Amino acid sequence: MESSDWYDGSCDLVHTFNYICKKWRLPILWYLSQGNFRYYELKRQLYGITNIMLTRSLQDLESHGMIWRKQHSETPPHVEYGLTEQGNHIIPVLEVLEAWGEMQVEYEKRVDCN
Amino acid sequence: MESSDWYDGSCDLVHTFNYICKKWRLPILWYLSQGNFRYYELKRQLYGITNIMLTRSLQDLESHGMIWRKQHSETPPHVEYGLTEQGNHIIPVLEVLEAWGEMQVEYEKRVDCN
DNA sequence: CTGAATCCCATGCGATACTG
DNA sequence: CAGTATCGCATGGGATTCAG
């Protein structure tokens, strides 16, 4: 990796990291890694999220091929979301991230006690 | 993990993720995972970064115990940075993130060819 | 060489209201 | 139920300038 490539788009890590480096991305992906959900189910679980943020996040993740959207033709509407085959590759990332997060928080607790 | 805990600070993953979810954090950590560096060395490698952003990033990472700062008493100043023992725990995260990034970019190339 | 202080702009985020 | 449109605020990022 060239030094000059950090932000000209040729650094894969930095480039794709921006897909998940947004406020609600990790929680959404984490939930979808547990199974498929309907729009309102996700909204209920993601306490505090607004329609606009949920919609934007889902559309963005879908545009990057990480999740799929399936609209059933019913009234009232019924839309389901889930991880794509490609999207499943994010699961190990979530696991490692969670392991690190717990370790880091444990460390902070110890330090704050000094 | 409780649904209501995503953003009240009790979700370790989300909480600590914010440490690295900033523009220059990953490149800085990646470099420091390769060895220790002086301020100006980091600045030279991190093509495009400004003093203020490098300084802020380093101070922030240091405040979370992920990197150390060593100031040699010389003139002109000589300051060195490196990963702490705790900071080394980020390395597996970087590796998994890189693997995922490459895979995701490969996927995008295939999809765009359709 | 290694920063800090100021000021400004782009962007993310979200409250509110509306729709089929 | 599953969204969209608007508008505004908060925050991050950075150009510029100055300093020990």
Side-chain angles (χ1 to χ4, degrees), chain A residues 61-77:
Chain A
L61 290 171
E62 190 189 2
S63 77
H64 292 125
M66 299 178 65
I67 67 174
W68 50 260
R69 188 190 111 110
K70 185 174 179 184
Q71 178 157 10
H72 304 254
S73 30
E74 300 174 7
T75 319

Side-chain angles (χ1 to χ4, degrees), chain A residues 3 6-7 16-17 19 21 23 26 30-31 45 64-65 86 89-90 93 97 100-101 103-104 107-108, chain B residues 3 6-7 16-17 19 21 23 26 30-31 45 64-65 86 89-90 93 97 100-101 103-104 107-108:
Chain A
S3 310
W6 292 121
Y7 280 104
T16 56
F17 186 66
Y19 297 174
C21 186
K23 180 164 180 178
L26 252 28
W30 188 84
Y31 256 99
Q45 307 271 14
H64 292 125
Q86 177 65 22
H89 294 315
I90 202 65
V93 175
L97 234 24
W100 171 72
M103 193 178 305
Q104 181 67 24
Y107 163 79
E108 290 174 12
Chain B
S3 310
W6 293 120
Y7 281 104
T16 55
F17 187 66
Y19 298 174
C21 186
K23 180 162 180 179
L26 251 28
W30 188 83
Y31 256 100
Q45 307 272 14
H64 293 125
Q86 177 65 22
H89 295 314
I90 202 65
V93 175
L97 233 24
W100 171 72
M103 193 178 305
Q104 181 68 23
Y107 164 78
E108 290 174 12

Side-chain angles (χ1 to χ4, degrees), chain B:
Chain B
M1 183 156 27
E2 297 295 323
S3 310
S4 57
D5 288 346
W6 293 120
Y7 281 104
D8 68 356
S10 37
C11 174
D12 297 347
L13 204 176
V14 169
H15 175 66
T16 55
F17 187 66
N18 289 324
Y19 298 174
I20 59 175
C21 186
K22 302 284 167 63
K23 180 162 180 179
W24 297 98
R25 300 301 158 85
L26 251 28
I28 288 173
L29 290 169
W30 188 83
Y31 256 100
L32 292 179
S33 74
Q34 318 271 310
N36 304 333
F37 289 97
R38 298 182 57 166
Y39 182 90
Y40 89 97
E41 288 176 324
L42 284 172
K43 180 168 180 183
R44 186 162 41 82
Q45 307 272 14
L46 298 161
Y47 188 78
I49 198 172
T50 59
N51 281 333
I52 192 73
M53 291 312 299
L54 180 53
T55 299
R56 282 180 192 164
S57 301
L58 291 170
Q59 288 173 347
D60 218 47
L61 290 171
E62 189 188 3
S63 77
H64 293 125
M66 298 177 66
I67 67 174
W68 49 260
R69 188 190 112 111
K70 185 175 179 185
Q71 178 158 11
H72 305 253
S73 32
E74 301 174 7
T75 320
H78 179 170
V79 182
E80 206 171 1
Y81 293 91
L83 288 185
T84 61
E85 192 178 343
Q86 177 65 22
N88 282 323
H89 295 314
I90 202 65
I91 295 180
V93 175
L94 295 178
E95 290 171 347
V96 171
L97 233 24
E98 184 179 20
W100 171 72
E102 288 179 0
M103 193 178 305
Q104 181 68 23
V105 166
E106 277 307 311
Y107 164 78
E108 290 174 12
K109 286 180 188 168
R110 290 201 308 277
V111 172
D112 288 343
C113 288
N114 294 346

Side-chain angles (χ1 to χ4, degrees), chain A residues 47-65:
Chain A
Y47 188 79
I49 198 172
T50 58
N51 282 334
I52 193 73
M53 291 313 298
L54 179 54
T55 300
R56 282 179 193 165
S57 302
L58 291 171
Q59 287 173 346
D60 219 46
L61 290 171
E62 190 189 2
S63 77
H64 292 125

Side-chain angles (χ1 to χ4, degrees), chain A residues 107-114:
Chain A
Y107 163 79
E108 290 174 12
K109 286 180 188 167
R110 291 201 308 275
V111 172
D112 289 343
C113 289
N114 293 346

Side-chain angles (χ1 to χ4, degrees), chain A residues 13-48:
Chain A
L13 204 175
V14 170
H15 175 65
T16 56
F17 186 66
N18 288 324
Y19 297 174
I20 59 176
C21 186
K22 302 285 165 64
K23 180 164 180 178
W24 298 99
R25 300 300 159 85
L26 252 28
I28 288 174
L29 290 169
W30 188 84
Y31 256 99
L32 292 179
S33 73
Q34 318 271 311
N36 303 334
F37 289 97
R38 299 182 58 165
Y39 181 91
Y40 88 98
E41 289 176 323
L42 284 172
K43 178 167 181 183
R44 185 162 42 82
Q45 307 271 14
L46 299 162
Y47 188 79

